[in-house]
Amino acid sequence: MSAAPLLGASMRLGPLRHISRAPVHARLVSMDLKSSLSFPDATDTSVASLSAVERPKYNLYAMDAKELEELILSWGEKKFRAKQIVDWVYVQGCSDFDSFKNLPLSLRKRLKEEISLGSMQIEEEQISRDGTQKRLWRLADGQLIESVLMPYDTKRRTACISSQVGCAMGCTFCATGQMGFKRNLSADEIFEQAARFATELRARDERLSNVVFMGMGEPFMNYDAVMKASKRLMTDLGIGARHITISTVGVVPRIRDFADLCAATKLEIKLAISLHSSSNVARSAIMPVNRKYDLKELVDACHYYVERSGRRISFEWALIAGQNDSVKEARALGKLLKGLHAHVNLIPLNPTRGFDGRPSSLPDADSFVHELGRYGVPATVRVRRGIDIDAGCGQLADSASKKKQESKARDLMRAASANSADAQGVYLTLEMYSASGAVVLPCSWQLPALQHDLLQSSGFARPGTHLRPAALWVQKSAQVNPL
C-alpha cells in the first residue's frame, strides 16, 4: 500500500493536490479536508502528544516537480527553492538536508522535520564479486520486494526493478512465480527503487543510465502504475526512453495497448517478451499465461507492436540444459520469429530453489545462436550477473520468506515440546514445498501426539496436505518412530 491511500485519496494541504506522506503513525486519525492531520483528543491522558518528528512526513520520491513546487509555495518559500532541492537530490546525489547550503537554515530545518527520502527500508543487501548489488526492500506495510543494480565495464549502470509484490503468472522456473501474488506496487514504490540507486550513484560521481522492469511481478498487470513510474524515470531522473525496457510474459491486450501508446505519443521505451519456448505445449507447461494467450496470439501482437511503434522488439530466452537449448529448438524459434524485426537475448538459467533445471553450456548456447542466424534472427548470449548471490528475480525475497517460515516452524516445535509431556510418539516431517511440488527443506521431529494436535490447531500444521505457493507445513508420516 502506498502512503497516499493511508492519508486519504483527497488529501489537500493549501494549494497541494495529492502529495504522499510516509506511513501514518499508529496514533494518527485519518485526514480531513480542514487540517493536515487530526490527532487524538488532547484530554486523553493515555495518549502522549506527538512531536513534529513523530508526524508522518512527505516522501520526496513520491512527489513530482510540480507537487514539490506546490508544497514549497505552501510553506511561504519561493518557487525556485523546489528546483534547488531537486538539484541536490537528483543531480548531486545528496541525501543530507543540512548539506543543502544554498537553502536558508529555516527551510533546511523544515525539510528535516517534514520530508523523508523514501518510504522503503533496506531489509537485506548482497554484493556479488562482479559488483552486482541485490537489495531487499521492506515496504511500509511489511511486504518485501527486490531491486538489483548491475554495473558494467563501461559507464553503464542498470537498475532492475520490481512492479509487484510477488507475481500471479506462475512461471515454474522463476522464484517470484513460486511465491504467488501479494499486491501491486504503487507508481511511487516503483519509482523509488530506481531513485534510491540513482541518488547513491550520483554521490560517487556515477549515473544510473538504464532501467529494466525485469524484477518481481508482471509489469503489464500493473500497467498504469508502471507507465506513471516510467514517465518519472524520464522526467525526474533524466533516463532516456530508449534506456528503459519493460518486460512481459505475454499479456497480449496490454502489448497492443502499449503499441498504440508508443505510436500516439512517439514513446520509445523498449519492449521485451519473456518467451523461453517455441511450442505451445512446452511453453504452457512452464508459463501458464500461454494457456490464455498462445504463441500465435503473442507473435501477432508482437508484429502489431513493431508495425505501430516502428521499434525492434526483444525476446528473453532462459537457456535450460536439455529442455530448450537444442539446435532443433533454435530452428523452431527461428521459424516462429522469421521476418519479425526482433532480437533474442539468451540467458543461461539462474537456478532457483523450486526448479530443478540447470543452465546450458556455452557451446550449446553458441550453437543456438548460430542456428537462429540461419533464419535471420540475431541473438546474443548475455552474461549472467550476480551468480554468487541471490540475484535472480525473487530469490532474495524467497530466501528471506523461507527463513521466516523456518523460524516460525521451529518456534512452534519448541512451544509444543514445552507444553506437553505425552509419551505417545508420532513421527513428523517438516517439509517446504515449491510450486512444482519438490521438497526443498525436509527435517524430522519426534513429537507426542498431543503436541502434534497443538501444532495442527494453531493453523500451521496440516497433515497430509501439499499447498501452493511454497510454504512450510508439518506432515504426519505413516511411519511411527519408536521412542
Side-chain angles (χ1 to χ4, degrees):
M1 183 182 297
S2 69
L6 287 171
L7 291 170
S10 59
M11 175 181 97
R12 291 184 181 274
L13 292 178
L16 301 183
R17 294 173 294 168
H18 300 348
I19 299 179
S20 299
R21 282 183 181 261
V24 177
H25 190 284
R27 290 288 191 182
L28 299 183
V29 187
S30 60
M31 302 290 294
D32 59 39
L33 297 177
K34 294 183 179 180
S35 63
S36 301
L37 295 170
S38 57
F39 295 91
D41 190 290
T43 61
D44 183 358
T45 57
S46 66
V47 180
S49 61
L50 294 171
S51 67
V53 175
E54 292 174 308
R55 296 173 187 171
K57 294 184 176 183
Y58 292 104
N59 178 5
L60 184 64
Y61 291 133
M63 290 185 279
D64 60 26
K66 180 65 175 176
E67 289 169 335
L68 181 58
E69 284 179 3
E70 291 177 348
L71 176 63
I72 294 301
L73 288 172
S74 75
W75 288 355
E77 301 286 347
K78 299 294 185 181
K79 182 178 178 179
F80 72 89
R81 297 297 185 192
K83 187 177 184 303
Q84 290 177 316
I85 294 169
V86 168
D87 180 76
W88 277 108
V89 175
Y90 292 127
V91 179
Q92 300 188 51
C94 184
S95 56
D96 179 11
F97 294 129
D98 285 328
S99 299
F100 297 7
K101 297 301 184 183
N102 58 351
L103 270 58
L105 181 61
S106 59
L107 179 55
R108 280 180 269 159
K109 183 174 182 293
R110 189 160 190 179
L111 288 173
K112 288 200 300 182
E113 292 175 347
E114 300 198 34
I115 296 288
S116 70
L117 284 175
S119 63
M120 307 189 308
Q121 302 298 318
I122 298 176
E123 179 78 5
E124 186 176 341
E125 189 168 61
Q126 297 179 357
I127 299 178
S128 170
R129 290 188 296 270
D130 63 23
T132 297
Q133 184 178 347
K134 181 70 175 280
R135 189 168 286 179
L136 184 66
W137 303 100
R138 181 171 294 279
L139 306 180
D141 62 356
Q143 298 287 358
L144 300 174
I145 61 168
E146 301 173 355
S147 309
V148 181
L149 180 64
M150 296 170 286
Y152 294 87
D153 291 338
T154 61
K155 292 183 178 181
R156 181 159 57 104
R157 300 291 181 268
T158 299
C160 177
I161 62 177
S162 298
S163 56
Q164 296 178 312
V165 181
C167 184
M169 297 296 100
C171 301
T172 60
F173 54 86
C174 174
T176 306
Q178 295 160 19
M179 291 168 57
F181 174 74
K182 306 294 175 54
R183 69 170 174 86
N184 284 327
L185 295 180
S186 68
D188 300 338
E189 291 168 328
I190 296 170
F191 172 77
E192 184 177 330
Q193 297 169 68
R196 296 278 286 267
F197 281 138
T199 300
E200 293 168 21
L201 287 169
R202 285 292 193 184
R204 54 180 188 256
D205 294 325
E206 298 178 23
R207 178 180 176 274
L208 183 64
S209 57
N210 297 70
V211 174
V212 294
F213 285 85
M214 297 182 184
M216 294 171 64
E218 165 51 53
F220 277 176
M221 295 302 288
N222 191 15
Y223 184 83
D224 291 341
V226 166
M227 299 315 301
K228 183 178 179 181
S230 297
K231 181 178 179 181
R232 292 197 60 202
L233 294 175
M234 294 182 283
T235 58
D236 293 7
L237 299 186
I239 299 173
R242 294 186 180 187
H243 297 278
I244 299 172
T245 301
I246 297 175
S247 176
T248 175
V249 297
V251 184
V252 166
R254 286 306 194 190
I255 294 174
R256 292 181 175 274
D257 290 341
F258 183 66
D260 291 337
L261 176 67
C262 292
T265 63
K266 307 300 181 184
L267 184 65
E268 295 184 311
I269 290 178
K270 295 178 180 179
L271 178 63
I273 307 296
S274 186
L275 193 60
H276 311 301
S277 182
S278 57
S279 82
N280 280 316
V281 172
R283 191 168 191 265
S284 294
I286 62 173
M287 302 181 71
V289 68
N290 198 76
R291 300 166 198 166
K292 185 169 186 179
Y293 307 113
D294 65 15
L295 284 170
K296 183 181 185 308
E297 290 180 272
L298 176 57
V299 173
D300 285 348
C302 292
H303 278 282
Y304 182 79
Y305 167 79
V306 170
E307 292 165 4
R308 292 283 285 149
S309 68
R311 308 275 306 159
R312 186 182 73 175
I313 192 169
S314 296
F315 291 91
E316 308 297 326
W317 189 280
L319 284 169
I320 307 171
Q323 294 191 35
N324 68 349
D325 63 345
S326 66
V327 170
K328 180 180 178 181
E329 185 77 30
R331 189 174 303 125
L333 179 60
K335 293 177 180 178
L336 183 69
L337 302 184
K338 186 175 182 179
L340 179 62
H341 186 34
H343 184 275
V344 178
N345 291 313
L346 301 168
I347 310 105
L349 180 73
N350 196 340
T352 64
R353 198 190 310 232
F355 184 70
D356 58 4
R358 295 177 296 102
S360 300
S361 66
L362 187 56
D364 286 342
D366 289 339
S367 297
F368 203 97
V369 172
H370 177 74
E371 188 64 22
L372 285 177
R374 294 182 61 239
Y375 292 86
V377 178
T380 304
V381 179
R382 299 297 183 188
V383 176
R384 295 189 297 167
R385 310 287 300 185
I387 296 305
D388 55 319
I389 60 174
D390 294 317
C393 174
Q395 289 182 320
L396 188 54
D398 180 58
S399 175
S401 176
K402 285 178 171 58
K403 287 177 184 177
K404 184 176 180 180
Q405 290 171 331
E406 291 172 33
S407 177
K408 180 179 178 182
R410 285 171 172 78
D411 287 345
L412 284 169
M413 291 294 185
R414 281 192 288 269
S417 297
N419 284 285
S420 175
D422 242 346
Q424 180 60 46
V426 175
Y427 184 85
L428 299 178
T429 304
L430 179 66
E431 294 178 329
M432 182 186 300
Y433 292 91
S434 71
S436 63
V439 176
V440 180
L441 176 73
C443 54
S444 301
W445 302 80
Q446 289 184 25
L447 289 175
L450 184 60
Q451 295 174 5
H452 171 258
D453 292 340
L454 183 152
L455 286 172
Q456 188 172 8
S457 66
S458 71
F460 188 79
R462 300 187 182 182
T465 304
H466 298 251
L467 294 182
R468 299 179 183 179
L472 281 176
W473 304 99
V474 177
Q475 182 178 11
K476 181 178 179 181
S477 171
Q479 175 184 356
V480 175
N481 196 37
L483 295 174

